[in-house]
Amino acid sequence: MRIEVGVATDIGRVREGNEDSYLVDPPLYAVADGMGGHRGGEVASELALETIESLFREGATTLVEQVREANRAVFARSQADRAVSGMGTTLTAAHVEGGAVRLAHVGDSRAYLLRSGALRQLTDDHTLVNRMVKTGEITESEAEVHPHRNVLTRSLGTEAEVHVDEEQVPLMDGDRVLLCSDGLFGMVTEDQIQAILEAEPAPQRVADRLIKAANRAGGVDNITVIVLDAHDGVDDATAVDAGDADLTPGERVLRENAPTIRRWIAGAVVAVVLLAGSLVALRAYVDRQWYVGVADGKVAIYQGIPATPLGYELHSVAEVTEIDATAAQALTLYAALPEGISANSRDDATAIVAQIRTDLASVKPPKKASTP
Ligand code: MN
């Protein structure tokens, strides 16, 4: 197989920084969408890709083991550095070899295959809403607009060990594989994605058009796409034409991202507002904010923001539940409880609490990680 590559990443139209990263190091390709306060998101996505790349270069292990090792690297950094504690990332990696693509995947970035006029998702989203769709709690169309559609059930770097999905798909001449972050399919329907994939012969132009479409639809998140075209040919890894993406064979391209301003920085902004004496505006802002946190060891709903600039408490407890906070924090999804899980409204906060209750009820006694 000869592979032709198109690649593009974009900050989008809303975010302050790009926490997505990508790796194009033929025959290895990957997309990672980082998350976490401070610079955590970009650190996590870059570190994950750097790790699989260097392990791939050493050539000793399988792709899945490389991703597991990337998990350990991100987790270790997160434990060691307070500034990025709790960070994590998605990772969808593709290794093209021997006429097939091998995928390793954690999180909610996606791999698609366009073949003979049909677009098929090759990966499974590790999200709360996907789990709810599978158990029949909500429909797919409800999932698309669900307020917690971004909540991950599995991510890389947030626990000591992670389960990695793997799949191998034999490639055929004319196949087009798309790796992308949720900034694409969160904004653009699969029909639109397919239409763009089918309209453009050149993979780099496809990549550029996908980014444009996501931005035109609002661009509320960072967008990253890698387009891989499979052609019959002898050279597996070396015959790569990256279009005008300026990639040479064997060259590693890892996008360095701009700084990210995250929620806790809102605390600093609030402090400035406070100093300026705009107390009324501040109060109005704070009163519209909600989050789920911990009060007296129990899960609680707060009004305000989890910050205390200049000693001013900018939050108050609205409701204390009966749910034990330590038990809830033990679930990966809710590890951030002590820092506060933000909600769009009081109803949203109540829904998060209900989800915590449901998840705790369904949780089995904790088992020890058995993977070495
Ligand atoms: Mn994203």
Side-chain angles (χ1 to χ4, degrees), residues 15 20 33 181-183 221-222:
R15 296 293 173 88
D20 285 0
D33 177 353
S181 62
D182 65 341
D221 196 3
N222 309 142

